[in-house]
């Protein structure tokens, strides 16, 4: 399996600010994914991040709002920009290994 | 496109009761199927998986069988415990490198 850590685990932020979430994996992986889980909802894919190329965003998500970096095979960041209360969610990083996906513990974001 | 439909929840059971959570899917080809569990305040953990028709995934007393003819992957457990209280997500993945498509999630509460 792959062990994934995320920082921060939770944060409370003010409207209009930005937060960068870090995702670290204990092994080298090709595919990394960022998901959003709004309160009481299922998971929605934000984007797929491959090392050395730009992230691929899903419909409804744009790079200006959710810029992603993928500098190497074990690390990625997701920034939530110009936040509003509607961005209050759990943000989860996941990686694919052994034909399945493993998830980090998530970052619980509250925007006031 | 791909989609996953779970039974409407929430589900409330008494300890030692039998559990079934229904899951059906729509996808072309032969996706891999998964059940994830999310305990209160935590991220997602893979519970079990099946990669081809008639495969049975099992873990911690939970089972699910990949039924191609009915496009289903129902989760069952013979005797639930209070510690099984969590949200359960059915999901599919169409091949390596693909995103996960999640169902809506089913909240399970087990009372002593």
């Amino acid at each position: 399996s792959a062990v994934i850590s995320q920082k921060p685990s939770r944060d409370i932020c003010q409207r209009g600010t930005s937060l960068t979430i870090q995702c670290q994996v204990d092994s080298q992986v090709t595919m990394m994914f960022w998901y959003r889980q709004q309160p009481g909802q299922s998971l929605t894919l934000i984007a797929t991040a491959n090392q050395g190329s730009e992230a691929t965003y899903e419909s409804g998500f744009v790079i200006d709002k959710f810029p992603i970096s993928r500098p190497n095979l074990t690390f990625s960041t997701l920034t939530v920009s110009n936040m509003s209360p509607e961005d209050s969610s759990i943000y989860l990083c996941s990686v694919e290994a052994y034909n399945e996906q493993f998830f980090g513990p998530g970052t619980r974001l509250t925007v006031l | 496109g791909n989609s996953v439909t779970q039974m409407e929840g929430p589900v409330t059971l008494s300890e030692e009761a039998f559990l079934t959570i229904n899951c059906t899917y729509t996808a072309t080809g032969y996706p891999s199927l998964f059940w994830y569990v999310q305990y209160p305040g935590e991220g997602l953990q893979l519970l079990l998986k099946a990669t081809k028709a008639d495969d049975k995934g099992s873990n911690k007393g939970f089972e699910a069988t990949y039924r191609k003819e009915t496009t289903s992957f129902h989760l069952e457990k013979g005797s639930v415990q209070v510690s099984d209280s969590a949200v359960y997500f059915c999901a599919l993945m169409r091949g390596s490198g693909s995103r996960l498509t999640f169902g809506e999630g089913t909240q399970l509460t087990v009372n002593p």
Side-chain angles (χ1 to χ4, degrees):
Chain A
S1 67
V3 178
I4 304 167
S5 59
Q6 285 186 233
K7 290 182 184 179
S9 59
R10 61 179 65 241
D11 207 341
I12 300 173
C13 300
Q14 296 298 318
R15 181 194 300 262
T17 63
S18 298
L19 176 72
T20 295
I21 302 167
Q22 299 179 9
C23 176
Q24 179 76 51
V25 189
D26 69 341
S27 57
Q28 294 184 340
V29 295
T30 302
M31 309 286 292
M32 295 182 79
F33 304 87
W34 286 98
Y35 290 84
R36 181 176 73 181
Q37 185 180 23
Q38 294 178 299
Q41 302 294 314
S42 186
L43 282 79
T44 301
L45 181 66
I46 297 172
T48 302
N50 290 336
Q51 192 267 337
S53 62
E54 286 199 10
T56 302
Y57 289 82
E58 297 296 305
S59 175
F61 297 96
V62 295
I63 187 171
D64 289 346
K65 175 67 175 177
F66 298 101
I68 289 171
S69 76
R70 181 79 201 275
N72 58 52
L73 291 173
T74 63
F75 187 79
S76 178
T77 66
L78 169 75
T79 299
V80 186
S81 303
N82 188 24
M83 287 183 286
S84 67
E86 292 71 33
D87 294 319
S88 297
S89 295
I90 301 173
Y91 292 86
L92 297 109
C93 167
S94 79
V95 303
E96 182 184 340
Y98 316 105
N99 200 33
E100 58 189 67
Q101 284 192 20
F102 299 90
F103 284 81
T107 295
R108 283 161 177 75
L109 171 62
T110 301
V111 183
L112 303 177
Chain B
N2 303 325
S3 67
V4 177
T5 302
Q6 289 182 231
M7 66 184 294
E8 294 184 7
V11 175
T12 302
L13 296 172
S14 298
E15 204 165 24
E16 299 184 2
F18 184 86
L19 169 70
T20 299
I21 302 177
N22 291 336
C23 171
T24 58
Y25 68 90
T26 301
T28 56
Y30 298 90
S32 295
L33 301 175
F34 305 85
W35 277 100
Y36 284 86
V37 58
Q38 186 175 36
Y39 297 103
E42 299 185 11
L44 266 69
Q45 299 176 26
L46 178 64
L47 182 60
L48 54 84
K49 70 174 183 179
T51 58
K52 62 183 186 295
D54 299 325
D55 266 2
K56 177 186 284 188
S58 61
N59 186 24
K60 300 181 181 179
F62 290 90
E63 294 183 339
T65 300
Y66 190 144
R67 301 289 188 198
K68 182 71 175 173
E69 62 277 13
T70 54
T71 62
S72 65
F73 193 55
H74 304 322
L75 182 68
E76 296 182 336
K77 186 174 185 181
S79 177
V80 293
Q81 306 300 311
V82 173
S83 57
D84 293 326
S85 298
V87 181
Y88 293 81
F89 292 95
C90 185
L92 70 81
M93 185 169 74
R94 281 208 57 227
S96 177
S98 302
R99 44 98 64 85
L100 278 168
T101 299
F102 286 90
E104 304 89 342
T106 300
Q107 171 74 59
L108 170 66
T109 301
V110 181
N111 295 318

